[in-house]
Structure formats: C-alpha cells, structure tokens
Amino acid sequence: MPKIKTNSGAKKRFTLTGTGKIKRKHAFHSHILTKKTKKQKRNLCHSTLVDTANIRQVKELLVMR
C-alpha cells in the first residue's frame, strides 16, 4: 500500500510549534494594502494558532495521524 502524501498547499501554509499546536498566518496581507489602515496591516502581520474547530481538518491535510 502506498504512503499517503501531504497536501502541498497545507505544507507551505502551516507550521508546528514545539508543543504540537499548529501555527498559521493571517489572510488579507499580501496585496491591495493601500486601502487598509496601518493598524489593520500591523495586526495582520503577526502569526496565530489554528482554531480548535479547524485543527482536525488541518491535521488531515498534513497527514498527522
């Protein structure tokens, strides 16, 4: 039986922390930044953790079973 491949898009978007949580970046910070306020852009540049409701889906994409 072949090995299950990791989703390539998820591999680039998510990273694991030392405690096993999944880290992600905020959306809406790549282009069309002129109409966004400084405060909005500043808050979008920080990374955050994946919400508990989505952890199972992300783990399936990353093949963490």
Side-chain angles (χ1 to χ4, degrees):
M1 198 168 158
K3 291 183 179 177
I4 300 169
K5 291 186 178 180
T6 303
N7 184 286
S8 297
K11 185 168 43 175
K12 296 166 193 171
R13 288 179 172 89
F14 301 106
T15 53
L16 278 175
T17 62
T19 56
K21 295 176 183 172
I22 304 169
K23 208 161 66 167
R24 69 171 178 89
K25 291 183 180 175
H26 283 282
F28 307 109
H29 191 65
S30 58
H31 60 97
I32 315 176
L33 298 173
T34 51
K35 61 177 79 170
K36 293 170 186 153
T37 62
K38 284 181 185 179
K39 182 180 179 180
Q40 188 178 3
K41 288 184 276 190
R42 184 173 63 244
N43 290 332
L44 287 173
C45 76
H46 303 298
S47 58
T48 185
L49 297 174
V50 172
D51 193 64
T52 52
N54 302 321
I55 286 176
R56 190 170 149 233
Q57 292 171 320
V58 174
K59 281 186 175 180
E60 284 179 10
L61 291 172
L62 296 172
V63 190
M64 295 169 48
R65 295 171 194 184

